[in-house]
Amino acid sequence: MTQGPTSLLPVWARTTARRPSSRRQSLHATTAEAMDGEDAHHRPSSSSSSGGPFLSGLCAAALRRKPISARASAAASGEGLVRQLGVLELVLLGIGASIGAGIFVITGTVARDAGPGVTISFALAGAACVLNALCYAELASRFPAVVGGAYLYTYAAFNELTAFLVFTQLMLDYHIGAASIARSLASYFIQFLELIPSVKGNVPSWIGHGEEFFGGVVSVNILAPILLVILTVILCRGVKESSAVNTFMTTLKIIIVIVVVFAGVFEVDVSNWSPFMPNGFKAVVTGSTVVFFAYVGFDAVANSAEEAKNPQRDLPIGILGSLLACVILYVAVCLVITGMLPYTLLGEDAPLAEAFSAKGLKFVTVLISIGAVAGLTTTLLVGLYVQSRLYLGLGRDGLLPSIFSKVHPTLHTPLHSQIWVGCVAAVLAGLFNVHALSHILSVGTLVLKLQNTICNCNTRFGCS
Ligand SMILES: NC(=[NH2+])NCCC[C@H](N)C(=O)O
């Protein structure tokens, strides 16, 4: 066996990479061992390096690649996670991750510029995402069904360094995203509570909305961490349990969106649709880059590869099915909302709810709030789920401490990884208002989608 240089890795990673745990050894023939095969030519020989052992180690570690075949045995062994998710659960997982607060908020922001053309913005962003989803679907069906998603594909298509960068981007997105969503959820709960007259105005801000200290640098909130703990407990209990919660909540929000569309159809005045693009096509295209956020999430399905009953068939269906369902629902909501009111009157923060209150349909407004809560809950739940599976993948590969590679023998969940991601999100959500930061992350997500498309080209056409 060729010895792979590990000097690039931190001490703990070096240790785990050299002396892999027995599970890792059996599940994933990775790192040095994995390089024996098809990717040996990707490693620069250390003797040819003129920059000394450190530089050659650095290059070798950065350039080593995980061969696709090395994962096959992992998928076959079936050890660790259990295959419990059917095609419906996978589609609902994708929808659960995608339909969050985006549709309830972004529509108004973009419609103020793009007018009714926001519908085209959603269709354009949806079309771009469908192309990307096709890449994900192909990668998901081509690869052995193990955890890792985008990280795994990058490891096989490029190298370890790129894969690790993908992981860091994903983690930044998911950790901050989870904290931000948990805070929004906490605020929603307080708003619900404040519907009770005796409670209104009496809830201290440190419970839900956040009490600011040090000039706003720290914003203390206890409800968000509590919600994160509850979801983490559900996720730790088993994939069947968390999938059941996701299925229930996602079905609820789909029904609510459909009811909203049908209730709104009768209020549509077609004259509100002309002009359809008051500020031209440019505003519509600009809008599509913003509404892209609403589609983020379908890729979550790829991360459940190791828990899908029939991954090669069901993952592509789950990825594409959930995205297409979102495109249809989003376009329908946009058409209805821009038909109900002149676009100039649409609110920026809660356009859907405001449009229905303006028409005197208060019950729909309440439904929308319930839909938003269900939406936030499922995006949070699935986000935490995906994170833990990514940590599990990196733990197995020796890129993170081996504690992350452990799967509970009876619950069949990566307990340590799950608790870790819950704790990180809880600390962030409990102490900081990360909302502003979460918006910037869409750019990173966009780059990640591009990266995945390149991965697909790379593995399909063998460019490297
Ligand atoms: N990984 C993420 N950044 N997930 C956030 C998903 C946001 C979701 N699409 C929404 O409209 O609310």
PDB file of all heavy atoms in Angstrom, residues 209-227:
ATOM      1  N   HIS A 209     -37.552  37.486  21.086  1.00  0.00           N
ATOM      2  CA  HIS A 209     -37.077  38.420  20.054  1.00  0.00           C
ATOM      3  C   HIS A 209     -35.593  38.741  20.178  1.00  0.00           C
ATOM      4  O   HIS A 209     -34.956  39.148  19.220  1.00  0.00           O
ATOM      5  CB  HIS A 209     -37.887  39.719  20.100  1.00  0.00           C
ATOM      6  CG  HIS A 209     -39.343  39.503  19.753  1.00  0.00           C
ATOM      7  ND1 HIS A 209     -39.722  38.909  18.574  1.00  0.00           N
ATOM      8  CD2 HIS A 209     -40.489  39.768  20.424  1.00  0.00           C
ATOM      9  CE1 HIS A 209     -41.051  38.823  18.533  1.00  0.00           C
ATOM     10  NE2 HIS A 209     -41.530  39.334  19.647  1.00  0.00           N
ATOM     11  N   GLY A 210     -35.029  38.569  21.363  1.00  0.00           N
ATOM     12  CA  GLY A 210     -33.595  38.829  21.554  1.00  0.00           C
ATOM     13  C   GLY A 210     -33.335  40.113  22.316  1.00  0.00           C
ATOM     14  O   GLY A 210     -33.796  41.188  21.925  1.00  0.00           O
ATOM     15  N   GLU A 211     -32.604  39.992  23.419  1.00  0.00           N
ATOM     16  CA  GLU A 211     -32.214  41.158  24.233  1.00  0.00           C
ATOM     17  C   GLU A 211     -30.775  41.532  23.873  1.00  0.00           C
ATOM     18  O   GLU A 211     -29.873  40.694  23.965  1.00  0.00           O
ATOM     19  CB  GLU A 211     -32.301  40.761  25.716  1.00  0.00           C
ATOM     20  CG  GLU A 211     -31.831  41.829  26.662  1.00  0.00           C
ATOM     21  CD  GLU A 211     -32.994  42.484  27.390  1.00  0.00           C
ATOM     22  OE1 GLU A 211     -34.064  41.863  27.499  1.00  0.00           O
ATOM     23  OE2 GLU A 211     -32.804  43.637  27.831  1.00  0.00           O
ATOM     24  N   GLU A 212     -30.586  42.758  23.448  1.00  0.00           N
ATOM     25  CA  GLU A 212     -29.261  43.124  22.930  1.00  0.00           C
ATOM     26  C   GLU A 212     -28.322  43.630  24.026  1.00  0.00           C
ATOM     27  O   GLU A 212     -28.734  44.361  24.928  1.00  0.00           O
ATOM     28  CB  GLU A 212     -29.419  44.178  21.844  1.00  0.00           C
ATOM     29  CG  GLU A 212     -30.340  43.690  20.731  1.00  0.00           C
ATOM     30  CD  GLU A 212     -30.042  44.291  19.387  1.00  0.00           C
ATOM     31  OE1 GLU A 212     -29.551  45.427  19.354  1.00  0.00           O
ATOM     32  OE2 GLU A 212     -30.311  43.594  18.381  1.00  0.00           O
ATOM     33  N   PHE A 213     -27.057  43.207  23.921  1.00  0.00           N
ATOM     34  CA  PHE A 213     -26.000  43.672  24.819  1.00  0.00           C
ATOM     35  C   PHE A 213     -24.813  44.129  23.980  1.00  0.00           C
ATOM     36  O   PHE A 213     -24.709  43.775  22.802  1.00  0.00           O
ATOM     37  CB  PHE A 213     -25.541  42.541  25.758  1.00  0.00           C
ATOM     38  CG  PHE A 213     -26.619  42.062  26.695  1.00  0.00           C
ATOM     39  CD1 PHE A 213     -27.398  40.950  26.374  1.00  0.00           C
ATOM     40  CD2 PHE A 213     -26.877  42.718  27.900  1.00  0.00           C
ATOM     41  CE1 PHE A 213     -28.392  40.495  27.231  1.00  0.00           C
ATOM     42  CE2 PHE A 213     -27.873  42.265  28.763  1.00  0.00           C
ATOM     43  CZ  PHE A 213     -28.629  41.155  28.424  1.00  0.00           C
ATOM     44  N   PHE A 214     -23.909  44.855  24.615  1.00  0.00           N
ATOM     45  CA  PHE A 214     -22.680  45.332  23.956  1.00  0.00           C
ATOM     46  C   PHE A 214     -22.976  45.971  22.598  1.00  0.00           C
ATOM     47  O   PHE A 214     -22.398  45.613  21.567  1.00  0.00           O
ATOM     48  CB  PHE A 214     -21.658  44.203  23.784  1.00  0.00           C
ATOM     49  CG  PHE A 214     -21.365  43.454  25.047  1.00  0.00           C
ATOM     50  CD1 PHE A 214     -21.697  42.109  25.168  1.00  0.00           C
ATOM     51  CD2 PHE A 214     -20.762  44.086  26.142  1.00  0.00           C
ATOM     52  CE1 PHE A 214     -21.451  41.412  26.343  1.00  0.00           C
ATOM     53  CE2 PHE A 214     -20.510  43.387  27.315  1.00  0.00           C
ATOM     54  CZ  PHE A 214     -20.850  42.055  27.420  1.00  0.00           C
ATOM     55  N   GLY A 215     -23.908  46.896  22.610  1.00  0.00           N
ATOM     56  CA  GLY A 215     -24.230  47.625  21.377  1.00  0.00           C
ATOM     57  C   GLY A 215     -24.777  46.732  20.277  1.00  0.00           C
ATOM     58  O   GLY A 215     -24.574  47.016  19.092  1.00  0.00           O
ATOM     59  N   GLY A 216     -25.445  45.665  20.673  1.00  0.00           N
ATOM     60  CA  GLY A 216     -26.080  44.804  19.665  1.00  0.00           C
ATOM     61  C   GLY A 216     -25.199  43.664  19.173  1.00  0.00           C
ATOM     62  O   GLY A 216     -25.643  42.841  18.374  1.00  0.00           O
ATOM     63  N   VAL A 217     -23.932  43.606  19.670  1.00  0.00           N
ATOM     64  CA  VAL A 217     -23.041  42.517  19.228  1.00  0.00           C
ATOM     65  C   VAL A 217     -23.596  41.170  19.717  1.00  0.00           C
ATOM     66  O   VAL A 217     -23.631  40.181  18.982  1.00  0.00           O
ATOM     67  CB  VAL A 217     -21.598  42.728  19.773  1.00  0.00           C
ATOM     68  CG1 VAL A 217     -20.692  41.562  19.383  1.00  0.00           C
ATOM     69  CG2 VAL A 217     -21.034  44.040  19.272  1.00  0.00           C
ATOM     70  N   VAL A 218     -24.059  41.190  20.964  1.00  0.00           N
ATOM     71  CA  VAL A 218     -24.659  39.975  21.523  1.00  0.00           C
ATOM     72  C   VAL A 218     -26.166  40.199  21.628  1.00  0.00           C
ATOM     73  O   VAL A 218     -26.625  41.271  22.011  1.00  0.00           O
ATOM     74  CB  VAL A 218     -24.062  39.679  22.915  1.00  0.00           C
ATOM     75  CG1 VAL A 218     -24.811  38.552  23.605  1.00  0.00           C
ATOM     76  CG2 VAL A 218     -22.590  39.331  22.782  1.00  0.00           C
ATOM     77  N   SER A 219     -26.919  39.198  21.223  1.00  0.00           N
ATOM     78  CA  SER A 219     -28.372  39.310  21.303  1.00  0.00           C
ATOM     79  C   SER A 219     -28.906  38.013  21.912  1.00  0.00           C
ATOM     80  O   SER A 219     -28.991  36.985  21.233  1.00  0.00           O
ATOM     81  CB  SER A 219     -28.925  39.547  19.897  1.00  0.00           C
ATOM     82  OG  SER A 219     -30.316  39.467  19.887  1.00  0.00           O
ATOM     83  N   VAL A 220     -29.242  38.087  23.190  1.00  0.00           N
ATOM     84  CA  VAL A 220     -29.595  36.857  23.919  1.00  0.00           C
ATOM     85  C   VAL A 220     -31.058  36.456  23.673  1.00  0.00           C
ATOM     86  O   VAL A 220     -31.962  37.290  23.645  1.00  0.00           O
ATOM     87  CB  VAL A 220     -29.341  37.052  25.434  1.00  0.00           C
ATOM     88  CG1 VAL A 220     -29.829  35.838  26.218  1.00  0.00           C
ATOM     89  CG2 VAL A 220     -27.859  37.264  25.690  1.00  0.00           C
ATOM     90  N   ASN A 221     -31.224  35.156  23.465  1.00  0.00           N
ATOM     91  CA  ASN A 221     -32.531  34.605  23.146  1.00  0.00           C
ATOM     92  C   ASN A 221     -32.549  33.173  23.661  1.00  0.00           C
ATOM     93  O   ASN A 221     -31.624  32.415  23.370  1.00  0.00           O
ATOM     94  CB  ASN A 221     -32.645  34.652  21.611  1.00  0.00           C
ATOM     95  CG  ASN A 221     -33.798  33.879  21.049  1.00  0.00           C
ATOM     96  OD1 ASN A 221     -34.078  32.758  21.450  1.00  0.00           O
ATOM     97  ND2 ASN A 221     -34.449  34.461  20.090  1.00  0.00           N
ATOM     98  N   ILE A 222     -33.546  32.780  24.438  1.00  0.00           N
ATOM     99  CA  ILE A 222     -33.486  31.389  24.943  1.00  0.00           C
ATOM    100  C   ILE A 222     -34.433  30.431  24.210  1.00  0.00           C
ATOM    101  O   ILE A 222     -34.231  29.231  24.219  1.00  0.00           O
ATOM    102  CB  ILE A 222     -33.720  31.289  26.469  1.00  0.00           C
ATOM    103  CG1 ILE A 222     -35.095  31.797  26.849  1.00  0.00           C
ATOM    104  CG2 ILE A 222     -32.637  31.983  27.261  1.00  0.00           C
ATOM    105  CD1 ILE A 222     -35.565  31.147  28.138  1.00  0.00           C
ATOM    106  N   LEU A 223     -35.448  31.003  23.565  1.00  0.00           N
ATOM    107  CA  LEU A 223     -36.398  30.112  22.897  1.00  0.00           C
ATOM    108  C   LEU A 223     -35.771  29.388  21.699  1.00  0.00           C
ATOM    109  O   LEU A 223     -36.023  28.195  21.473  1.00  0.00           O
ATOM    110  CB  LEU A 223     -37.636  30.909  22.457  1.00  0.00           C
ATOM    111  CG  LEU A 223     -38.819  30.089  21.960  1.00  0.00           C
ATOM    112  CD1 LEU A 223     -39.221  29.025  22.966  1.00  0.00           C
ATOM    113  CD2 LEU A 223     -40.017  30.991  21.667  1.00  0.00           C
ATOM    114  N   ALA A 224     -34.943  30.123  20.946  1.00  0.00           N
ATOM    115  CA  ALA A 224     -34.315  29.507  19.754  1.00  0.00           C
ATOM    116  C   ALA A 224     -33.480  28.278  20.147  1.00  0.00           C
ATOM    117  O   ALA A 224     -33.650  27.204  19.542  1.00  0.00           O
ATOM    118  CB  ALA A 224     -33.490  30.532  18.999  1.00  0.00           C
ATOM    119  N   PRO A 225     -32.597  28.382  21.163  1.00  0.00           N
ATOM    120  CA  PRO A 225     -31.860  27.174  21.558  1.00  0.00           C
ATOM    121  C   PRO A 225     -32.781  26.048  22.036  1.00  0.00           C
ATOM    122  O   PRO A 225     -32.515  24.873  21.752  1.00  0.00           O
ATOM    123  CB  PRO A 225     -30.964  27.658  22.710  1.00  0.00           C
ATOM    124  CG  PRO A 225     -30.823  29.114  22.491  1.00  0.00           C
ATOM    125  CD  PRO A 225     -32.082  29.577  21.841  1.00  0.00           C
ATOM    126  N   ILE A 226     -33.867  26.412  22.715  1.00  0.00           N
ATOM    127  CA  ILE A 226     -34.789  25.360  23.184  1.00  0.00           C
ATOM    128  C   ILE A 226     -35.388  24.617  21.979  1.00  0.00           C
ATOM    129  O   ILE A 226     -35.452  23.385  21.950  1.00  0.00           O
ATOM    130  CB  ILE A 226     -35.906  25.963  24.075  1.00  0.00           C
ATOM    131  CG1 ILE A 226     -35.299  26.461  25.388  1.00  0.00           C
ATOM    132  CG2 ILE A 226     -37.020  24.956  24.338  1.00  0.00           C
ATOM    133  CD1 ILE A 226     -36.255  27.193  26.302  1.00  0.00           C
ATOM    134  N   LEU A 227     -35.802  25.380  20.979  1.00  0.00           N
ATOM    135  CA  LEU A 227     -36.369  24.742  19.786  1.00  0.00           C
ATOM    136  C   LEU A 227     -35.338  23.837  19.108  1.00  0.00           C
ATOM    137  O   LEU A 227     -35.664  22.737  18.649  1.00  0.00           O
ATOM    138  CB  LEU A 227     -36.839  25.810  18.786  1.00  0.00           C
ATOM    139  CG  LEU A 227     -38.017  26.666  19.256  1.00  0.00           C
ATOM    140  CD1 LEU A 227     -38.257  27.832  18.307  1.00  0.00           C
ATOM    141  CD2 LEU A 227     -39.276  25.811  19.357  1.00  0.00           C
TER     142      LEU A 227
END
